């Protein structure tokens, strides 16, 4: 590498991904080992047991910290395990202000698991920073944000909310799964920690689950390393390797996702069977200006309104290039129905409150030839 600060794609391919010194292998080896031989009591090469540390995992953690611009990263068995670890950094009596429009699994964890351990939660519409300010309490330790939100693609202003939270002694966590560090780096905007479901764009190939927390302070990383050891929800060496392989192409994949995403959003916005499109790249998105300021691209997550459950079902039955299924961020186009899939746990009333209708469809636009995706959506929409 030259003296110039390496760019994003170079860091993705090289940081933590250095050739293996013993053999020169250009890819990081999968250290499939549970334990490590010791020369004498307490004398070892830095690893004792793979729940505590593993060389493949170390490499991935180094890589992801560099991509988000943090001081360290800790990886977990899934995105939910990573969010669980963040909540486990708190103690009974602590309060979290969270977005009201998060991935459904997050409020399920907060309300049905962490609330039993004495954490309290207030859910607010984080698209207006004043709502966050209003609901901060003396015991608020964290503000938990998703931007854009899942599935309604509402944005929140990470810089403004971080300034408010910091003034009141709270830290800000951003779930950056939808954008990946290629299109949005919340730490540069003031966030204290970033979480991802690596299952999505970071892995990129829909072949493994994982989660990561990227930290800005060594104390956060120490607490999370302790939680890896104490609770054990770590990512296996093979799954770490899949993500290391995935991030090598993150930059080119995200460029193509974004290019296809913009074309699909334009097509849906003009389609007579589609009543509304939620995509921050469309000029009529209420936070389009914030999107241009805060993100480096608009990505490929789009939601659109078909009008009813029956309409959604008619179209979803017909898709062929798009695959009907949960998840997002893979090279293949995935299409889903939030009310019965990702947001089923919220219940009808919970969904109604935040505007998730039965006719809403979410699409994670893949990197197939965009003409094929558009033809597929067109023929499927004709069924409505
Ligand atoms: C934004 C977001 N955060 C977190 C998660 C949870 O990640 P995982 O499924 O890897 O546990 C998801 C899953 O869909 C998600 O979309």
């Amino acid at each position: 590498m030259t003296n110039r600060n390496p760019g994003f794609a170079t860091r993705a391919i090289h940081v933590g991904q250095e050739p293996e010194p013993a053999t020169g292998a250009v890819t990081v080896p999968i250290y499939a080992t549970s334990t490590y031989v010791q020369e004498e009591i307490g004398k070892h090469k830095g690893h004792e047991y793979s729940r505590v540390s593993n060389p493949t995992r170390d490499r991935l953690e180094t890589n992801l910290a560099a991509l988000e611009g943090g001081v360290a990263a800790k990886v977990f068995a899934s995105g939910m395990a990573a969010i669980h670890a963040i909540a486990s950094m708190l103690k009974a009596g602590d309060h979290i202000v969270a977005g009201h429009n998060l991935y459904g699994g997050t409020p399920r964890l907060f309300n049905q698991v962490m609330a039993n351990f004495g954490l309290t939660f207030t859910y607010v519409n984080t698209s207006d920073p004043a709502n966050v300010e209003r609901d901060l309490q003396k015991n608020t330790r964290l503000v938990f944000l998703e931007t854009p939100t899942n599935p309604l693609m509402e944005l929140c202003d990470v810089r403004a909310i971080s300034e408010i939270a910091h003034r009141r002694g709270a830290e800000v966590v951003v779930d950056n799964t939808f954008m990946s560090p290629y299109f949005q780096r919340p730490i540069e905007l003031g966030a204290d920690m970033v979480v991802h479901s690596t299952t999505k764009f970071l892995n990129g190939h829909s072949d493994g689950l994982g989660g990561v927390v990227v930290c800005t302070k060594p104390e956060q990383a120490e607490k999370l390393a302790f939680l890896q050891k104490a609770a054990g929800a770590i990512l296996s060496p093979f799954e770490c390797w899949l993500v290391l392989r995935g991030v090598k192409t993150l930059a080119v994949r995200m460029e193509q996702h974004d290019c296809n995403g913009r074309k699909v959003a334009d097509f849906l916005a003009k389609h007579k069977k589609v009543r509304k499109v939620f995509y921050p790249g469309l000029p009529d998105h209420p936070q389009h200006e914030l999107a241009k300021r805060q993100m480096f691209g608009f990505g490929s997550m789009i939601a659109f309104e078909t009008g009813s459950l029956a309409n959604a079902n008619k179209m979803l039955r017909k898709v062929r290039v798009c695959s009907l299924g949960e998840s997002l961020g893979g090279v293949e186009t995935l299409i889903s129905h939030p009310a019965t899939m990702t947001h089923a746990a919220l219940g009808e009333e919970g969904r109604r409150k935040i505007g998730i209708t039965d006719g809403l469809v979410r699409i994670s636009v893949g990197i197939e030839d965009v003409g094929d995706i558009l033809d597929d959506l067109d023929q499927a929409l004709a069924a409505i």
Side-chain angles (χ1 to χ4, degrees):
M1 284 196 212
T2 62
N3 290 333
R4 195 174 71 81
N5 274 349
F8 187 94
T10 310
R11 277 180 282 140
I13 294 168
H14 292 289
V15 178
Q17 310 243 34
E18 297 80 4
E20 195 263 323
T23 62
V26 293
T27 54
V28 174
I30 302 170
Y31 286 91
T33 187
S34 57
T35 192
Y36 306 84
V37 70
Q38 308 198 7
E39 279 172 52
E40 59 183 71
I41 296 173
K43 193 167 176 199
H44 52 73
K45 295 185 165 64
H47 300 281
E48 290 166 85
Y49 189 61
S50 274
R51 174 157 34 75
V52 183
S53 67
N54 175 282
T56 316
R57 198 168 96 209
D58 287 355
R59 300 279 210 115
L60 177 62
E61 292 177 340
T62 302
N63 179 279
L64 296 181
L67 296 188
E68 280 289 0
V71 300
K74 294 289 153 197
V75 293
F76 293 88
S78 67
M80 287 321 305
I83 296 171
H84 183 251
I86 291 172
S88 305
M89 293 166 83
L90 305 184
K91 57 181 187 332
D94 288 345
H95 175 247
I96 296 182
V97 173
H100 73 160
N101 196 348
L102 304 172
Y103 164 63
T106 304
R108 177 173 57 203
L109 169 75
F110 288 169
N111 300 338
Q112 297 182 43
V113 182
M114 301 316 294
N116 298 333
F117 295 88
L119 296 186
T120 54
F121 302 91
T122 305
Y123 296 95
V124 302
N125 181 346
T126 47
S127 58
D128 182 355
N131 293 337
V132 175
E133 179 142 44
R134 188 197 57 219
D135 283 317
L136 286 170
Q137 302 174 8
K138 274 207 178 71
N139 57 342
T140 305
R141 297 281 167 267
L142 279 188
V143 176
F144 191 98
L145 305 173
E146 225 174 87
T147 181
T149 59
N150 183 359
L152 290 170
M153 307 305 290
E154 283 172 6
L155 307 193
C156 49
D157 186 331
V158 177
R159 194 182 292 284
I161 293 177
S162 299
E163 279 169 17
I164 292 168
H166 292 162
R167 250 188 276 126
R168 304 277 294 271
E171 292 198 330
V172 173
V173 178
V174 177
D175 183 332
N176 198 24
T177 300
F178 269 30
M179 282 296 115
S180 90
Y182 186 70
F183 280 142
Q184 179 169 267
R185 287 189 287 281
I187 289 173
E188 290 174 6
L189 302 168
D192 301 276
M193 280 185 277
V194 170
V195 64
H196 282 271
S197 165
T198 64
T199 314
K200 319 298 188 215
F201 290 102
L202 289 171
N203 170 304
H205 296 74
S206 306
D207 53 13
L209 262 73
V212 63
V213 185
V214 183
C215 309
T216 55
K217 300 182 189 101
E219 311 85 82
Q220 297 163 338
E222 272 163 36
K223 270 194 185 179
L224 290 164
F226 179 76
L227 284 162
Q228 287 180 320
K229 175 163 82 174
I234 43 105
L235 195 61
S236 77
F238 178 62
E239 304 265 8
C240 288
W241 182 86
L242 287 174
V243 182
L244 280 165
R245 184 279 324 263
V247 293
K248 287 185 185 178
T249 56
L250 183 65
V252 284
R253 280 190 288 108
M254 292 313 291
E255 285 292 342
Q256 196 58 45
H257 279 296
D258 184 72
C259 178
N260 286 3
R262 290 173 198 233
K263 288 183 181 150
V264 170
D266 277 345
F267 163 84
L268 291 170
K270 289 184 191 125
H271 201 286
K272 59 183 187 314
K273 299 279 176 70
V274 174
R275 300 179 185 202
K276 189 164 181 193
V277 180
F278 303 83
Y279 182 66
L282 290 173
D284 66 353
H285 185 285
Q287 293 157 302
H288 182 60
E289 289 309 312
L290 175 61
K292 287 200 283 189
R293 207 166 63 232
Q294 178 166 278
M295 292 146 50
F296 309 113
F298 301 119
S300 64
M301 297 303 300
I302 304 167
F304 59 97
E305 182 55 56
T306 61
S308 67
L309 177 61
N311 281 350
N313 207 19
K314 276 186 211 158
M315 113 153 258
L316 292 172
R317 267 206 303 257
K318 289 279 182 198
V319 289
R320 294 292 171 263
V321 176
C322 309
S323 304
L324 174 59
E326 302 213 12
S327 204
L328 59 109
V331 289
E332 61 286 297
T333 299
L334 288 167
I335 194 158
S336 68
H337 183 243
T340 55
M341 295 177 168
T342 46
H343 291 69
L346 288 187
E348 217 177 312
E349 178 58 14
R351 288 193 297 277
R352 196 192 52 74
K353 271 196 200 148
I354 58 173
I356 299 179
T357 62
D358 286 351
L360 192 74
V361 169
R362 188 190 78 181
I363 181 164
S364 164
V365 181
I367 60 172
E368 300 96 338
D369 293 296
V370 72
D372 294 328
I373 304 171
L374 298 178
D375 286 350
D376 191 40
L377 289 171
D378 203 29
Q379 65 79 24
L381 284 164
I384 295 181

